Amino acid sequence: MAGYNPYQQPGYQQGSSSQSQFAPNGTTNQYGGTPQGGYGPQGTPHQDQGYFPSHGQADVRNDERLMILAEQAHRMSLDGDAAAAPYRPNKKKNRHAYHNLEQPAAPVQSFGGAAQGQYGYANTDNSQQMSTGHPYAGQQVTPAMNQFPAQANAPFTPGLQAPSPGFRTQPQQVPSTAGPGVSQGKVDPEQIPSIPRLRDAATQYYLDNVYPTMEQHIPPPAAVPFVAHDQGNSSPKYARLTLNNIPSTTEALATTALPLGIVLQPLALLQEGEQTIPVLDFGEIGPPRCRRCRTYINPFMTFRSGGNKLVCNMCTFPNDVSPEYFAPTDPSGVRVDRPQRPELTVGTVEFMVPKEYWAKEPVGLHWLFLIDVGQEAIQRGFLQAFCQGVLLALYGDEHEKEDEDQDGETPEVPRRIPAGSQVAFVTFDRSMYFFNCSAKLEQAQMLVMPDLEEPFVPLGSNGLFVDPYESKHVITDLLRRLPSLFSRQKSPEPALLPALKATQAALAATGGKIICSLSALPTWGPGRLILRDKNDLHGIESERKLFQTEHADWKKVASNMVQSGIGVDFFLAAASGGYMDIATIGHVSALSGGETYFYPTFTSPRDVQRLTKEIEHTVTRETGYQALMKVRCSNGLQVSSYHGNFLQHSFGADLELGSIDADKALGVMFSYDGQLDSKLDAHFQCALLYTTAGGERRVRCTNTVASVSESLPEVMRFIDQDAVVSMIAKEGQFHIFDIPLLNTANLVFNRTAATRMTERTLKDIRNALTEKTIDILAGHRKTSPSGHPAGQLVLPENLKEFAMYILGLIKSRAFKAGHEPSDRRTHTMRFLKSASPLELSLFLYPRIIPLHSLPDNSCFPNPETGHLVVPESIRALFGRIEDGGAYIVDDGQICLLWLHEHVSPNLLEDLFGPGHTNLADLDPSLSSLPVLETHLNAQVRNLIAYWSSIRGSKALTLQLARQGLDGAEYEFARMLVEDRNNDAQNYVDWLVHLHRGIQVELNGGRRKEEGEGVGAGLEGAMAGLSNLIGR
């Protein structure tokens, strides 16, 4: 495993010290690589100088900026709370799941097998040391109680990682202007908590270290790739708790103002090198479950009476073990067959389920492509691009080859979707067109359905749905001919709702997935929509009506989709940035568990590659359908609310999802129904019952455990920052369990939430987010065990960057002040509800890499480890942008290549090829770099390939942002979230504002609404956001 490279992609250039002289294809670099010192303004090599001119003016500008920052941050300092409360050993030793930190630390082997010495895990003992032969060999699996192969360990106290170089090693603080470390009134911005610094340090650490899920209890940052070793506690890729050390009482939790919740991404993708999810089949009896609470068997259940009793870890009920599942236990109470039982050793498993779990006969996933063939789609090139994307998704690059080889035989095409999956094609404008793509035909047959009032499916299932590989010649011919087939029909008004009803009827018997394209507001036929956003409601209370779904027929269709086990993904291309009513159309995808891809100013050919890649990703990613989800938790806790894309008929009922895929995440909030015992752990299990794309009915169980503590300082030490931000972004913290429910039209609405959201404005939500941030930081100050000067802003060690993330959330299009099209706001709101922690982290704080100063060895594999050498990112601050520079910026949704107006001509030639020495000569529709034999070109392409592999659902394609030339430059400025933009403060002013609010709160002078508790302002403003955006 020493040579294993989890990050290496086929597109990366391989090489050694001479790699700069070779292109990715192995040929000699005719340009000879970049000179040692880079290039001057006219391409003349200069020593110790990059691709840009002298920095004299930039340094003066930065010095002036630092003087301003010093004045703004007067008498403010940031300091991490390094003090920790002493550990208190508990009495019931074998009731905890983890190791005791008091055990001596021992070196742990790196991912590649090399010893890490002092950088090992702080709670690793000698018995858990990995062997050099395999990175996971020798690790003791540590599920709870008497399940240990050896004697149970001492009581659990969550473990922190031992310091690694640069990774959370020193407290970060901005000294006051009169304190030490200040020179001539300047404030060092490096001492302000930095998200790029955190990400870079964690990235380097996890290049050489595996994340063991039972030994380490603060997950890596969400935007950092890592390899997890499942030791009985599920990987953070599947489940992230906001608190890994939970307060024992609801009053203690209220003091912290933190949300108690879990972010779930049940079908998250594994990284190469991680353990595959075990799939277990218990036959007709099904998987063992607790008879009282119905929890599935997991590593934290225990066996008693010689193996005849199974004690549930959720409700402590002793179940009788069936004869089929019985195995004796050894003297320590551990089953003798435990090492051969993945359900007792692994935190995330899948169970095949018998027929009693079936709602329908499981079949392979049926894909129905519903394609807009209206006038706008044809004229803007959207129809042709969409057809290219479908061909790429089904056949890859094979669709570009001839259908027959030299021998006259059809070549075999590798399957890109599982065997048993079928596809169908329906187009629509003012009418609907169904296509028979049977493999027995030479060309597809088209049947026209003009009846929009009562549409039906004119084809039987055998003709409409076909195997895409048996009918490849028919499907390829159809998709290539569609643009010309409808080019003569001038139909600018599509009828979308009748088409959705017809496709729902076609999939009602089996369930499946609908992929729909749309390029104009559907103003024809039943369910026609009107132009609601006339730019006269922005900034006033009536604006919230634009975020709601008001059409009853669209709500009914969405509910019918879920009940039929159908998910819907939309690809919406607004005509010249026009209105699409995403609040109404996107409601169908949001409720059914699908996704809406939005192209507000679709331009061909600039956006063609992005569209085709996203269609390919949608079809080829792991997808399930006909899904039900249930979350269970330990005694003393209860589920209070769910947040995400789903349907729930009544509170407490299972969540229904028409479809769910690898990119979707849900949030679950918990509340107390009693006091937790600090001597016991708290357990959580997410059970997802779904049908795989291959046609198997399974339950995926994700098991997570946390400790319980009566010490609030201990609670604050084990916070998952990304999970806290995700829960707040997914509608904030509110308690639904004590609020009456209103069940209307099979949909659940929170009465108080619905009422309050009709009373709240976006300004109220921004203020509530600010107040919530103050509550959390003030809660830490109240619980801090050591005294701090009043002039210091004390941040929890694992919430140092929290304030910056919330500032990014306030500046997002969902909640920002100022004018913003309602479609953009609604699309962002729905994205926040279903975004994974990875996507959300990048969205709130983009990653920025300077290209003009890349080290020679960066963006190439390390010759010793094989890992890609990733350059350090910079802060999202205009003060870090240098004259003559080139920067690549990625927020997980779009990727910009920003070029300064005085960028070096030599740099342009190295990136874009000979003859490209002027910004004006570049093609504004460029979406990818050409393949050149230059060092810089290979570096940037390798970086893009690497980023593409650690992204969410959106494709990574480049968009040029040339200073003074492209409109995308405004988007670049918006992504500099540390600056004053988007009608919000800069980072330093924001910290000063929070500090003042915390001081007022600590002095008892902060006023709250009557009857509101901690965080209740956020409850009123954020609770029911689902109703605001028409869920």
Side-chain angles (χ1 to χ4, degrees):
M1 293 295 293
Y4 168 68
N5 177 11
Y7 306 108
Q8 181 176 317
Q9 297 294 326
Y12 295 163
Q13 174 176 335
Q14 305 293 319
S16 58
S17 59
S18 59
Q19 59 190 3
S20 62
Q21 300 299 320
F22 294 89
N25 59 6
T27 58
T28 303
N29 181 359
Q30 60 179 322
Y31 299 104
T34 306
Q36 179 70 24
Y39 298 99
Q42 303 301 322
T44 305
H46 292 287
Q47 185 69 20
D48 298 328
Q49 191 176 36
Y51 282 109
F52 45 89
S54 172
H55 302 283
Q57 297 178 354
D59 291 339
V60 173
R61 181 184 61 188
N62 292 337
D63 290 344
E64 292 175 353
R65 180 176 182 82
L66 293 180
M67 293 290 289
I68 297 175
L69 294 180
E71 182 179 356
Q72 292 172 334
H74 182 61
R75 295 191 181 278
M76 181 194 72
S77 65
L78 303 172
D79 192 8
D81 182 14
Y87 295 103
R88 295 187 307 106
N90 296 311
K91 295 181 180 180
K92 298 184 179 180
K93 294 184 178 182
N94 64 346
R95 300 291 286 174
H96 289 274
Y98 298 96
H99 298 295
N100 184 6
L101 278 185
E102 296 173 0
Q103 298 176 4
V108 69
Q109 300 295 348
S110 72
F111 186 39
Q116 295 303 302
Q118 66 272 30
Y119 303 129
Y121 301 114
N123 54 351
T124 304
D125 58 25
N126 292 327
S127 64
Q128 297 158 338
Q129 184 172 349
M130 301 183 202
S131 68
T132 57
H134 192 281
Y136 302 150
Q139 282 198 352
Q140 180 181 0
V141 182
T142 57
M145 307 178 189
N146 62 359
Q147 295 280 8
F148 293 107
Q151 183 179 0
N153 288 276
F156 159 62
T157 310
L160 282 171
Q161 295 161 166
S164 60
F167 184 44
R168 295 271 194 202
T169 55
Q170 298 294 332
Q172 301 167 1
Q173 63 178 358
V174 176
S176 65
T177 53
V182 180
S183 174
Q184 298 179 358
K186 298 180 181 179
V187 175
D188 184 6
E190 289 297 333
Q191 296 187 12
I192 300 177
S194 169
I195 293 177
R197 182 165 55 232
L198 169 68
R199 289 175 179 172
D200 292 342
T203 298
Q204 293 302 316
Y205 179 84
Y206 286 105
L207 278 176
D208 301 317
N209 293 274
V210 176
Y211 175 79
T213 62
M214 291 291 281
E215 300 169 16
Q216 300 298 312
H217 316 298
I218 298 180
V224 172
F226 64 95
V227 172
H229 175 37
D230 191 334
Q231 298 175 311
N233 191 29
S234 290
S235 167
K237 296 178 181 178
Y238 299 113
R240 280 178 174 263
L241 280 169
T242 56
L243 303 174
N244 293 284
N245 203 356
I246 298 174
S248 57
T249 64
T250 184
E251 293 79 13
L253 179 66
T255 301
T256 67
L258 288 163
L260 175 56
I262 189 170
V263 181
L264 298 167
Q265 194 177 351
L267 300 183
L269 292 178
L270 291 170
Q271 187 166 300
E272 185 181 354
E274 292 182 316
Q275 301 158 291
T276 58
I277 304 301
V279 180
L280 310 176
D281 189 0
F282 287 87
E284 292 301 322
I285 63 173
R289 303 180 67 179
C290 175
R291 291 201 303 272
R292 175 190 286 176
C293 67
R294 305 303 293 162
T295 297
Y296 289 87
I297 185 72
N298 63 76
F300 306 104
M301 288 186 174
T302 58
F303 291 87
R304 294 179 182 173
S305 302
N308 288 289
K309 292 291 185 179
L310 175 65
V311 182
C312 178
N313 61 311
M314 297 290 181
C315 66
T316 69
F317 180 75
N319 298 268
D320 293 329
V321 177
S322 64
E324 297 85 356
Y325 193 63
F326 173 80
T329 58
D330 62 18
S332 64
V334 178
R335 280 177 62 122
V336 295
D337 65 342
R338 182 179 174 278
Q340 290 77 44
R341 290 285 186 181
E343 71 274 15
L344 301 180
T345 58
V346 180
T348 303
V349 297
E350 285 198 337
F351 300 108
M352 302 287 291
V353 294
K355 291 185 178 180
E356 61 186 270
Y357 291 79
W358 297 2
K360 301 174 183 177
E361 182 77 20
V363 296
L365 183 56
H366 284 49
W367 297 87
L368 195 152
F369 295 93
L370 183 60
I371 306 174
D372 177 12
V373 292
Q375 181 178 344
E376 282 290 341
I378 296 174
Q379 290 182 350
R380 303 185 68 84
F382 185 65
L383 173 58
Q384 183 175 3
F386 189 84
C387 292
Q388 292 176 4
V390 175
L391 287 172
L392 180 65
L394 295 178
Y395 310 114
D397 295 331
E398 297 292 330
H399 75 276
E400 299 178 355
K401 302 178 181 179
E402 296 295 331
D403 291 338
E404 293 185 357
D405 57 20
Q406 296 179 356
D407 298 331
E409 298 180 356
T410 302
E412 184 178 354
V413 179
R415 295 194 70 94
R416 310 201 75 203
I417 57 177
S421 299
Q422 294 185 325
V423 298
F425 298 90
V426 179
T427 61
F428 69 99
D429 46 25
R430 288 187 177 183
S431 301
M432 287 171 284
Y433 311 89
F434 294 79
F435 292 90
N436 183 350
C437 296
S438 173
K440 301 177 182 179
L441 301 174
E442 293 291 333
Q443 286 187 341
Q445 295 177 346
M446 182 175 70
L447 286 80
V448 182
M449 171 57 63
D451 187 359
L452 301 181
E453 297 296 333
E454 298 181 358
F456 61 93
V457 182
L459 284 171
S461 58
N462 292 334
L464 184 61
F465 287 96
V466 298
D467 186 297
Y469 300 97
E470 293 179 358
S471 301
K472 177 179 179 295
H473 64 287
V474 180
I475 294 174
T476 303
D477 176 72
L478 170 64
L479 293 176
R480 288 172 177 172
R481 291 192 301 114
L482 271 184
S484 59
L485 186 63
F486 291 93
S487 60
R488 296 183 180 181
Q489 296 184 224
K490 305 298 183 181
S491 179
E493 301 173 312
L496 178 57
L497 187 64
L500 289 174
K501 290 181 178 180
T503 52
Q504 186 266 329
L507 288 167
T510 61
K513 187 85 172 183
I514 297 174
I515 308 296
C516 178
S517 69
L518 183 68
S519 59
L521 184 68
T523 57
W524 187 262
R528 65 179 62 89
L529 301 178
I530 61 174
L531 180 63
R532 293 195 294 158
D533 188 354
K534 300 179 181 178
N535 294 324
D536 58 348
L537 299 178
H538 294 283
I540 61 177
E541 293 187 3
S542 301
E543 182 181 12
R544 56 181 171 267
K545 295 181 179 179
L546 300 176
F547 312 143
Q548 299 174 348
T549 306
E550 297 181 342
H551 207 297
D553 288 344
W554 285 85
K555 294 180 181 180
K556 184 177 180 180
V557 166
S559 179
N560 291 339
M561 290 286 186
V562 180
Q563 294 174 7
S564 299
I566 304 169
V568 184
D569 286 351
F570 285 107
F571 290 82
L572 307 181
S576 302
Y579 180 64
M580 295 290 288
D581 199 353
I582 291 181
T584 300
I585 297 174
H587 173 72
V588 178
S589 62
L591 198 67
S592 66
E595 186 168 0
T596 298
Y597 295 86
F598 184 42
Y599 309 89
T601 55
F602 181 85
T603 303
S604 180
R606 184 195 66 190
D607 297 322
V608 169
Q609 184 181 18
R610 177 184 168 193
L611 173 64
T612 56
K613 284 187 174 183
E614 289 176 348
I615 295 173
E616 179 187 20
H617 177 76
T618 298
V619 175
T620 57
R621 66 186 171 188
E622 184 174 1
T623 303
Y625 68 106
Q626 293 183 31
L628 296 173
M629 177 181 285
K630 182 75 171 181
V631 176
R632 298 176 174 89
C633 53
S634 296
N635 286 339
L637 296 173
Q638 62 182 0
V639 174
S640 62
S641 60
Y642 293 95
H643 308 289
N645 291 342
F646 54 82
L647 170 67
Q648 189 179 25
H649 289 285
S650 61
F651 181 67
D654 294 348
L655 306 185
E656 298 183 30
L657 303 97
S659 67
I660 185 170
D661 56 66
D663 298 314
K664 297 299 179 296
L666 298 92
V668 185
M669 291 295 301
F670 301 100
S671 60
Y672 291 78
D673 62 1
Q675 182 172 344
L676 299 178
D677 188 348
S678 60
K679 301 180 181 65
L680 306 177
D681 293 333
H683 299 272
F684 307 87
Q685 185 183 82
C686 167
L688 176 69
L689 174 64
Y690 73 108
T691 303
T692 67
E696 294 181 340
R697 194 72 171 161
R698 299 179 182 177
V699 172
R700 175 167 291 196
C701 291
T702 302
N703 300 284
T704 311
V705 66
S707 69
V708 178
S709 177
E710 296 176 354
S711 171
L712 288 182
E714 281 296 294
V715 171
M716 301 299 290
R717 291 180 65 237
F718 301 101
I719 302 171
D720 185 340
Q721 180 172 250
D722 290 291
V724 172
V725 172
S726 293
M727 289 307 306
I728 291 178
K730 291 182 188 299
E731 300 185 8
Q733 181 186 14
F734 70 96
H735 301 289
I736 195 174
F737 63 91
D738 58 353
I739 300 174
L741 294 172
L742 178 63
N743 193 326
T744 304
N746 294 329
L747 297 176
V748 173
F749 297 97
N750 181 307
R751 182 179 297 171
T752 299
T755 302
R756 288 192 175 191
M757 284 314 302
T758 59
E759 300 170 356
R760 303 276 179 167
T761 64
L762 293 174
K763 181 180 179 180
D764 294 329
I765 295 177
R766 291 191 296 271
N767 292 337
L769 287 170
T770 302
E771 295 300 306
K772 183 63 176 178
T773 306
I774 293 175
D775 285 336
I776 291 175
L777 298 181
H780 169 258
R781 187 62 180 268
K782 294 175 183 177
T783 62
S784 179
S786 58
H788 296 274
Q792 285 186 335
L793 173 59
V794 183
L795 301 177
E797 179 63 26
N798 293 299
L799 284 179
K800 284 185 179 293
E801 298 79 18
F802 172 70
M804 184 63 248
Y805 278 121
I806 297 300
L807 179 60
L809 183 62
I810 292 174
K811 290 184 175 185
S812 70
R813 282 195 166 92
F815 308 123
K816 68 180 287 291
H819 176 81
E820 191 71 31
S822 61
D823 278 347
R824 302 295 291 269
R825 285 198 190 275
T826 307
H827 179 256
T828 305
M829 288 179 183
R830 289 210 174 102
F831 162 77
L832 294 175
K833 289 181 59 179
S834 64
S836 67
L838 164 63
E839 280 194 286
L840 183 62
S841 177
L842 291 177
F843 179 74
L844 298 181
Y845 197 99
R847 48 193 174 193
I848 306 177
I849 301 291
L851 302 182
H852 53 271
S853 57
L854 285 177
D856 286 345
N857 66 333
S858 67
C859 300
F860 291 104
N862 187 311
E864 297 180 358
T865 64
H867 298 154
L868 191 76
V869 180
V870 182
E872 293 184 355
S873 54
I874 65 171
R875 304 177 71 147
L877 186 67
F878 189 74
R880 300 301 175 91
I881 304 302
E882 303 183 40
D883 292 342
Y887 297 84
I888 187 167
V889 190
D890 176 31
D891 70 348
Q893 308 299 302
I894 62 173
C895 184
L896 300 179
L897 178 57
W898 186 85
L899 301 171
H900 190 272
E901 60 181 347
H902 299 306
V903 66
S904 166
N906 287 14
L907 183 144
L908 295 179
E909 285 195 325
D910 279 356
L911 275 180
F912 303 103
H916 296 84
T917 58
N918 193 297
L919 287 181
D921 297 335
L922 301 180
D923 184 3
S925 63
L926 181 77
S927 60
S928 62
L929 290 178
V931 178
L932 302 176
E933 297 178 347
T934 64
H935 188 71
L936 180 63
N937 181 273
Q939 284 181 301
V940 178
R941 288 188 290 107
N942 284 350
L943 179 64
I944 292 174
Y946 168 73
W947 278 0
S948 298
S949 66
I950 54 171
R951 222 166 182 247
S953 61
K954 306 304 187 296
L956 197 156
T957 58
L958 286 180
Q959 182 175 348
L960 283 183
R962 300 167 295 176
Q963 188 179 28
L965 295 176
D966 296 317
E969 186 182 2
Y970 296 99
E971 189 70 18
F972 173 75
R974 188 189 67 82
M975 295 164 74
L976 299 177
V977 290
E978 291 197 30
D979 282 324
R980 180 179 180 85
N981 52 24
N982 295 295
D983 297 284
Q985 298 165 304
N986 63 35
Y987 189 17
V988 172
D989 289 343
W990 169 246
L991 291 175
V992 172
H993 178 71
L994 294 179
H995 188 207
R996 291 170 180 168
I998 293 171
Q999 289 179 316
V1000 173
E1001 172 68 19
L1002 296 177
N1003 294 331
R1006 189 155 159 253
R1007 297 180 59 185
K1008 295 183 180 180
E1009 296 181 20
E1010 183 178 356
E1012 289 189 347
V1014 177
L1018 187 60
E1019 290 181 22
M1022 298 291 287
L1025 180 59
S1026 57
N1027 195 36
L1028 171 67
I1029 62 178
R1031 186 180 71 85

